[in-house]
């Protein structure tokens, strides 16, 4: 706070003018007004006048009716007037002068008190680092060109506010003259840099900084009293700001500043936590945080305290460059000691964090010592490894803080935004509830429980529901009404439905009075039988169907595999296609198939199912062919694609493998999922060895080699195996794969990758990596699916490690999907609220080991259908939209 013991020669000069010319001619303020210590119900207005007098501020919410007054009793040229009893989130207009004379006022003389909460409003903060020399004028003008007429709620200065020695006269030109228009209506919150103390670290040395500014020492603007203006805190809406002193206050964790910081942060109850000071903890530009003692001390001693409290953003200067870190946590050593598990973001410009303030979920560190000069050329050839962006360019930083998003922008001297990123604390939108336990079930009763639902490209839903009626319970197939039910006139048992894009369903059921299960559909508007165990199987030489094994339903046909009675064991399985006009056998064991190299006899085949070793969905939406893995009597294999009119060869033993190692040939084939399959390659052909003898192939208009063992998704990683895989037309192929390589252990050797066409593989996330929006680490990936179409993208179910952040066994599983930027985004998680109920578990992406209906949980528009069970054991069918 300003005292009278250190009035500069400039102040003395002004007093001389008063003696020569008299008070009425030269009273007008020669410094300010400038705003300080703005709180929800208080404001401090300061200025310097030529003449010594009492200072008075007249104020009110109407610029033409300044009816309220606040007066300082001190007779001085440096006026500090405190105003109290204000209303939060309110704009006040004011004038400055004496108790008898108003000397300055106008429409630009106003201040706005902070809201208690800014949940429904945005807050804009202008940040200036090392602004103390003449280059700041261009930076100011660039900001004004960017900002236009928008409101600015606060200004932060990151130290070195006035070059070279931080004298009162230097502050006059560097701060009060250069930013006069901004300071009269925006509260300034400064911090101390080395130039503000004339390079002195002596905390007892009197500096102009503490004379000029009136900063909250008693917690009057929020936070815990610090007892000093060298470090302090304040609240603005939903943000808690902490200003620290990296120059004159000891950073030792047992000394006063650190003790105060821990106490202050323990009491913080805001959604956002932002800290600022001068000496950046991470930098490799004009100053090196490995060797600069002040920078290193703040990193080693203060950063851990902030991370323990859940800090979101740290703003610093000192280095005359712009550097923006990744979302990092627990990196306190030298630059070359940075570990990958300290980097918590995959998405380069969106940092996703849990709602509110949660400890150790990563922070972004911004170096912005660019407000008046930069050192070196634009390019930073050897940036700090923690940094996402680094360049040397004049400019300032703008924070736009919304309820759940903190946007950071670097604004150049031309007003252009040269870098931007977002810290996002929003949770995914609540799913749309389609049906819930206790809802009316189309007039026959109330819903009780549900199967995993299917969804088509039009957003239609089909599911099996258990319904309570007046006479008991029934199971019913629901798709825009009840299609069929058991305990009725037609069926005694019904199973889960398949769904096509026309909204038609197919399902397994047992007819009333019958003992054999059959396949039925309501295509054409009427429920009719497609096939039934015990009936004669078309095309199978008088054999009868023994059991229907699995099915696939498109808009044109139903394909199904079935076992047969009346044929030898090596000929007792077939594949049929059923159209509205006929049901036709397409393939059976024992068939002789014609190929270019000759005829082969089918020994066995499999299709329309998922191997127990895979965890993929097992059904590709909109596939117009059925892919079959056939093994022939000569023990060779082929992958074939069938339609109702015939088949074609996709891949065969001893044929050249495309897009792979030169001269490599197919050997054997793994389970087929949609139009994707694994293949072993024959060792010794080309350069095939045990390290690269397996690849994943997919059909996308042509056969492509999507992923391969031995290839490198990253320079230090090598694909080792593929646990699950799925593909979709035009959307590419996704895998759950394991890797080997540098720093890979059993705790982080599995991840989800996605490849589209000729693009390189793209990592969505790995075990051990940060969980977006939740905190903690991924533990395992259990299920995978891929929606079709140009905008298709993977979705996956994963579990998280309990004991991280707030993750417990009751909240350790969720659903994630690739967002529009291609990065994993949380969609639904155990423990999440849907309405007033808490999700206990979720069932998504039907598993073929439990259902022959091949549940289609993802459609081509990014919708996912799921069943959730709540903590009260009730259930809902919901639809989630992938971002």
């Amino acid at each position: 706070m300003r005292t009278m013991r250190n009035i500069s020669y400039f102040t003395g000069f002004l007093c001389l003018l008063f003696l020569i010319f008299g008070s009425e001619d030269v009273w007008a303020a020669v410094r300010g007004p400038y705003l300080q210590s703005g709180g929800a119900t208080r404001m401090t207005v300061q200025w310097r006048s030529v003449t010594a007098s009492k200072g008075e501020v007249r104020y009110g919410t109407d610029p033409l009716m300044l009816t309220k007054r606040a007066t300082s009793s001190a007779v001085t040229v440096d006026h500090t007037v405190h105003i109290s009893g204000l209303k939060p989130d309110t704009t006040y207009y004011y004038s400055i002068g004496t108790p008898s004379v108003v000397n300055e006022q106008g429409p630009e003389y106003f201040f706005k008190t902070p809201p208690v909460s800014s949940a429904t409003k945005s807050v804009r903060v202008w940040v200036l680092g090392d602004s103390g020399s003449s280059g700041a004028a261009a930076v100011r003008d660039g900001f004004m060109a960017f900002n236009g007429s928008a409101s600015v709620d606060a200004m932060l200065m990151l130290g070195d506010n006035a070059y070279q020695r931080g004298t009162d006269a230097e502050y006059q030109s560097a701060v009060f003259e250069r930013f006069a228009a901004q300071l009269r209506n925006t509260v300034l919150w400064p911090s101390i840099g080395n130039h503000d103390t004339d390079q002195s670290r002596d905390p007892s040395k009197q500096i102009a900084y503490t004379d000029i500014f009136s900063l909250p020492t008693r917690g009057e603007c929020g936070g815990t009293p610090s007892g000093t203006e060298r470090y302090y805190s304040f609240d603005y809406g939903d943000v808690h700001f902490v200003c620290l002193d990296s120059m004159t206050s000891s950073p030792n964790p047992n000394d006063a500043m650190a003790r105060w910081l821990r106490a202050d942060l323990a009491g913080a109850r805001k959604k956002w936590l932002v800290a600022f000071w001068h000496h950046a903890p991470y930098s490799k530009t004009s100053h090196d945080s490995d060797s600069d003692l002040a920078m290193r001390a703040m990193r080693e001693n203060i950063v851990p305290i902030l991370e323990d409290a859940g800090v979101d953003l740290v703003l610093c200067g000192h280095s005359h460059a712009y550097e923006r870190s990744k979302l990092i946590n627990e990196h306190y050593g030298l630059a070359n000691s940075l570990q990958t598990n300290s980097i918590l973001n995959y998405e380069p410009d969106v940092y996703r964090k849990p709602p509110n303030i949660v400890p150790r979920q990563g922070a972004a560190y911004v170096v912005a010592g660019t407000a008046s000069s930069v050192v070196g050329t634009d390019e930073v050839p050897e940036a700090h490894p923690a940094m996402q962006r680094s360049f040397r360019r004049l400019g300032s930083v703008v924070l736009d803080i919304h309820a759940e998003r903190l946007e950071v922008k670097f604004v150049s001297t031309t007003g252009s935004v040269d870098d931007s990123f977002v810290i996002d604390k929003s949770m995914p939108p609540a799913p749309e509830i389609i049906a819930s336990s206790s809802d009316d079930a189309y007039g026959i009763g109330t819903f009780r429980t549900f199967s995993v639902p299917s969804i088509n490209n039009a957003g239609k839903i089909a599911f099996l529901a258990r319904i309570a009626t007046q006479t008991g319970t029934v199971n019913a197939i629901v798709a825009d009404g009840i299609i069929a039910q058991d305990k009725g006139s037609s069926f005694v048992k019904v199973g889960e439905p398949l769904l096509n894009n026309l909204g038609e369903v197919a399902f397994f059921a047992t007819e009333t009075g019958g003992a054999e299960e059959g396949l039925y559909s309501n295509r054409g508007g009427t429920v009719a039988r497609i096939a039934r165990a015990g009936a004669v199987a078309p095309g199978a030489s008088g054999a009868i169907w023994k059991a229907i094994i699995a099915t696939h339903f498109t808009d044109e046909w139903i394909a199904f595999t079935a076992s047969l009675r009346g044929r030898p064991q090596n000929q007792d399985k077939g594949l049929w296609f059923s159209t509205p006009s006929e049901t036709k056998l397409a393939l059976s064991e024992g068939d002789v198939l014609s190929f270019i190299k000759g005829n082969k006899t089918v020994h066995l085949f499999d299709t329309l199912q998922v191997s127990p070793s895979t965890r993929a969905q097992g059904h590709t939406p909109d596939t117009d062919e059925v892919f079959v893995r056939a093994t022939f009597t000569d023990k060779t294999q082929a992958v074939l694609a069938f339609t109702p009119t015939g088949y074609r060869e996709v891949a065969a033993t001893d044929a050249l493998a495309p897009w792979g190692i030169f001269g490599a040939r197919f050997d054997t084939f793994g389970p087929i999922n949609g139009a994707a399959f694994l293949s072993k390659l024959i060792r010794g052909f080309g350069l095939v060895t045990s390290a690269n003898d397996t690849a994943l192939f997919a059909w996308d208009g042509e056969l492509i080699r999507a992923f391969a063992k031995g290839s490198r998704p990253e320079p230090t990683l090598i694909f080792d195996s593929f646990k699950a895989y799925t593909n979709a037309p035009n959307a590419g192929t996704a895998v759950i794969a394991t890797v080997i390589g540098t720093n890979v252990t059993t705790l982080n050797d599995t991840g989800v990758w996605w490849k589209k066409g000729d693009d390189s593989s793209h990592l969505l996330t790995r075990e051990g990596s940060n969980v977006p929006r939740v905190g903690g680490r991924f533990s395992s990936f259990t299920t995978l699916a891929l929606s079709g179409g140009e905008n298709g993208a993977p979705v996956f179910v994963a579990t998280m490690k309990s004991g991280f952040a707030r993750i417990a066994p009751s909240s350790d599983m969720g659903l994630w999907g690739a967002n529009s930027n291609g990065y994993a985004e949380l969609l639904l998680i155990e423990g999440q609220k849907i309405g007033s109920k808490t999700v206990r578990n979720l069932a998504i992406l039907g598993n073929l080991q439990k259902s022959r209906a091949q549940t289609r949980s993802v459609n081509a528009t990014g919708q996912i259908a799921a069943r959730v069970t709540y903590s009260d054991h009730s259930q809902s069918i919901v639809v989630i939209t992938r971002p």
Side-chain angles (χ1 to χ4, degrees):
M1 184 176 293
R2 178 72 191 180
T3 66
M4 291 301 297
R5 58 182 175 174
N6 186 30
I7 299 176
S8 71
Y9 71 88
F10 186 74
T11 306
F13 175 70
L14 295 177
C15 293
L16 179 61
L17 289 178
F18 165 67
L19 294 174
I20 297 172
F21 295 106
S23 64
E24 294 302 319
D25 294 326
V26 294
W27 190 94
V30 294
R31 172 177 292 178
Y34 57 102
L35 303 175
Q36 294 279 274
S37 294
T41 61
R42 68 181 315 281
M43 185 65 65
T44 296
V45 182
Q46 292 186 240
W47 69 94
R48 175 177 289 172
S49 63
V50 173
T51 64
S53 67
K54 293 182 179 180
E56 183 174 270
V57 175
R58 303 183 187 188
Y59 63 99
T61 56
D62 185 334
L64 300 179
M65 297 183 64
L66 306 181
T67 57
K68 296 184 178 181
R69 300 187 180 196
T71 305
S72 171
S73 60
V75 178
T76 181
V77 295
D78 288 306
H79 304 278
T80 300
V81 177
H82 302 292
I83 306 172
S84 59
L86 302 174
K87 294 181 179 179
D89 197 20
T90 302
T91 298
Y92 290 89
Y93 297 87
Y94 71 94
S95 67
I96 61 170
T98 70
S100 59
V101 178
V102 171
N103 293 98
E104 292 189 26
Q105 63 179 345
E108 72 275 20
Y109 290 76
F110 65 87
F111 59 80
K112 184 178 179 181
T113 53
V116 175
S117 170
S118 55
T120 60
K121 297 184 177 183
S122 297
V123 174
R124 173 160 285 187
V125 180
W126 186 23
V127 183
L128 295 150
D130 299 68
S131 58
S133 61
S134 59
V139 173
R140 174 201 62 203
D141 295 344
F143 169 75
M144 297 307 293
F146 160 82
N147 190 67
S149 60
S151 173
V152 180
D153 298 293
M155 288 175 61
L156 308 184
M157 285 189 172
L158 306 180
D160 286 1
N161 313 308
Y163 286 102
Q164 290 289 326
R165 302 173 61 191
T167 65
D168 186 275
E170 289 171 341
Y171 263 96
Q172 179 67 23
S173 60
V175 176
F176 298 109
E177 293 176 3
R178 188 165 294 132
F179 300 105
Q182 292 75 36
L183 294 175
R184 65 172 59 106
N185 50 48
T186 306
V187 179
L188 173 63
W189 304 93
S191 61
I192 298 174
N194 49 291
H195 283 282
D196 299 301
T197 69
D198 193 19
Q199 307 297 334
S200 173
R201 294 189 174 280
D202 183 359
S204 66
K205 179 181 177 180
Q206 186 65 30
I207 54 177
Y209 175 97
T210 52
D211 289 342
I212 290 169
F213 297 117
S214 295
L215 304 170
T217 62
R218 305 183 309 279
E220 58 265 43
C221 297
T224 299
S226 67
T228 176
E229 291 176 317
R230 295 172 187 261
Y231 50 86
Y232 58 90
S233 63
F234 64 96
D235 293 333
Y236 198 106
D238 289 326
V239 190
H240 185 64
F241 289 91
V242 175
C243 176
L244 299 175
D245 171 22
S246 59
M247 188 62 195
T248 67
S249 298
S250 168
N252 188 298
N254 297 316
D255 287 346
M257 184 171 70
R259 293 198 308 271
W260 166 81
L261 179 61
R262 282 190 287 266
D264 179 75
L265 297 177
R269 296 292 183 269
K270 298 297 183 178
K271 191 177 190 73
W272 297 97
L273 175 56
V274 177
F276 64 101
W277 64 85
H278 185 61
H279 294 86
Y282 310 102
S283 180
K284 283 284 186 180
T285 52
S286 67
H287 292 276
D288 189 335
S289 57
D290 282 355
S291 56
D292 186 300
L293 294 180
M295 299 166 83
R296 184 169 178 170
M298 294 299 285
R299 179 178 69 250
E300 293 174 351
N301 297 298
I302 298 301
V303 166
I305 298 173
L306 290 166
E307 289 183 346
D308 281 341
V311 66
D312 298 303
L313 177 65
V314 174
L315 302 161
C316 296
H318 197 49
S319 281
H320 289 251
Y322 173 78
E323 300 169 274
R324 183 250 291 186
S325 81
K326 302 165 186 176
L327 189 68
I328 59 175
N329 181 61
E330 295 184 349
H331 173 53
Y332 313 128
L334 302 182
N336 61 11
S337 70
L338 178 66
Q339 299 295 312
T340 55
N341 61 6
S342 289
I343 301 171
L344 304 189
N345 67 298
Y346 278 95
E347 208 163 346
D349 299 326
V350 181
Y351 301 165
R352 303 187 189 279
K353 298 189 64 176
N356 302 313
I357 294 177
V358 180
R360 297 197 170 277
Q361 297 307 307
Y365 294 80
V366 171
V367 182
T370 56
S372 64
S373 66
V374 293
V375 176
T377 59
D378 186 83
E379 182 182 358
V380 179
E382 295 185 11
H384 194 290
M387 294 303 162
Q388 192 78 51
R389 292 290 309 276
S390 298
F391 54 76
R392 302 180 181 97
R393 210 170 300 164
L394 282 176
S396 57
V397 168
V398 176
L399 312 182
D400 285 313
I401 306 168
H402 313 283
E404 297 174 324
R405 288 169 59 88
L406 194 163
E407 300 172 1
V408 183
K409 305 177 183 74
F410 178 87
V411 179
S412 75
T413 54
T414 66
S416 65
V417 176
D418 291 359
D419 183 51
S420 64
F421 69 98
V422 172
I423 303 174
D424 190 338
K425 290 190 174 185
S426 63
M427 288 297 287
E432 177 188 2
I433 298 176
I434 304 301
S436 294
S437 300
S438 302
D439 283 356
D440 174 70
Y442 298 96
I444 70 168
T446 56
F447 288 121
R448 293 186 62 184
T449 59
F450 308 95
S451 69
V452 178
S454 290
I455 186 168
N456 69 11
N457 288 343
K460 298 294 185 181
I461 302 289
F463 53 88
L464 181 68
R466 191 164 181 80
I467 300 171
T469 70
Q470 290 183 343
T471 59
T473 59
V474 299
N475 295 302
I477 294 169
V478 180
D480 279 342
I482 294 176
I483 305 300
Q485 67 181 70
D486 61 12
K487 301 180 183 178
S489 58
S490 299
F491 302 107
V492 293
K493 182 180 179 182
V494 293
E496 296 178 42
L498 295 87
L499 179 68
N500 68 10
N501 280 326
L502 300 177
E504 300 167 334
V505 297
F507 57 92
F508 292 99
T510 303
E511 294 182 31
T512 301
E516 303 288 352
E517 185 181 58
L519 176 63
Y520 299 81
S521 176
N522 72 336
R523 62 185 179 182
T526 303
V527 174
R529 183 197 307 150
I530 306 300
R532 187 184 69 178
V536 174
S541 303
I544 63 173
W545 281 308
K546 180 180 180 182
I548 314 297
I549 300 172
T551 56
H552 180 47
F553 191 22
T554 73
D555 299 349
E556 305 295 331
W557 41 258
I558 300 174
F560 60 92
T561 55
S563 59
L564 296 166
R565 291 194 185 111
R567 300 191 92 182
Q569 185 175 0
N570 61 349
Q571 299 177 21
D572 64 351
K573 181 180 177 183
L575 168 68
W576 282 263
F577 283 87
S578 175
T579 65
S581 60
E582 66 175 339
T583 298
K584 180 180 178 181
L585 178 65
L587 175 69
S588 67
E589 295 172 348
D591 282 357
V592 177
L593 302 183
S594 297
F595 301 98
I596 294 176
K597 294 184 178 181
N599 297 336
K600 290 180 179 285
T601 302
V602 177
H603 175 62
L604 55 88
F605 72 90
D606 60 77
T607 187
L608 303 175
Q609 59 186 335
V610 174
S611 163
S613 65
T614 66
R615 295 175 285 186
Q617 182 188 14
H619 169 56
T620 302
D622 305 324
T623 301
D624 57 6
E625 296 176 303
V626 173
F627 282 73
V628 171
R629 177 180 64 172
T631 301
F632 303 106
T633 53
D634 64 358
K635 299 184 180 180
T636 62
Q637 289 187 324
V639 175
L640 310 172
F642 281 82
T643 68
T645 59
Y647 69 90
R648 62 182 175 83
E649 181 181 296
V650 178
T653 297
D654 204 40
L656 283 171
W659 292 57
I661 304 165
F662 179 77
R665 294 180 177 275
F666 291 118
D667 186 12
T668 58
F669 301 100
I672 294 175
N673 185 8
F677 58 89
L678 281 174
S679 177
K680 283 277 192 179
L681 303 176
I682 301 174
R683 296 180 187 176
F685 277 81
L687 300 173
V688 178
T689 68
S690 60
N692 61 358
D693 64 350
T694 305
L696 177 65
F697 295 87
W699 182 263
D700 192 8
E702 62 177 333
L703 188 62
I704 64 171
R705 175 177 172 265
F707 293 89
K709 179 182 178 181
S711 64
R712 292 181 179 270
E714 297 178 23
T716 61
L717 300 179
I718 300 171
F719 280 126
D720 187 51
S721 66
F722 305 102
K723 294 184 175 181
Y725 46 91
T726 185
N727 78 310
N730 302 313
T733 305
V735 297
I736 298 174
T738 62
V739 291
I740 56 177
T742 305
N743 297 321
V744 175
T745 70
T746 56
L747 300 177
N748 64 0
D749 66 346
T750 305
V752 181
W753 279 267
W754 176 30
K755 184 175 183 180
K756 196 170 182 179
D758 296 341
D759 297 342
S760 59
S761 61
H762 175 75
L763 174 66
L764 292 181
T765 192
R766 275 172 64 189
E767 290 176 345
S769 63
N770 186 56
V771 180
R773 300 193 189 281
V774 180
R777 307 282 181 176
F778 281 114
S779 178
S780 64
F781 307 104
T782 60
T783 321
L784 177 69
L786 181 63
S787 58
E790 288 296 329
N791 296 319
V795 295
F796 59 91
V797 176
T799 60
M800 298 167 288
K801 294 180 180 179
S802 299
F804 279 84
R806 297 163 293 176
I807 297 172
S810 60
S811 60
D812 66 350
M813 186 175 76
L815 173 72
W816 283 263
N819 61 23
S820 58
N821 295 324
Y823 296 91
E825 174 69 281
L826 177 66
L827 302 178
L828 182 66
I829 192 169
E830 292 177 345
Q832 181 178 334
K833 289 281 189 180
I834 300 179
S836 61
K837 293 191 174 185
T838 302
V839 176
R840 181 182 181 184
N841 61 57
L842 51 140
I844 301 171
L845 314 176
N847 187 328
L848 287 187
Q849 303 313 302
K850 297 180 180 178
S851 168
R852 292 169 294 172
Q854 298 194 24
T855 304
R856 176 180 177 171
S857 298
V858 182
N859 69 13
T861 63
Q863 294 177 304
I864 303 113
R867 180 193 70 202
V868 298
T869 302
Y870 303 108
S871 54
D872 64 358
H873 303 290
S874 64
Q875 294 184 337
S876 288
I877 297 294
V878 300
V879 172
I880 306 149
T881 300
R882 181 179 57 80

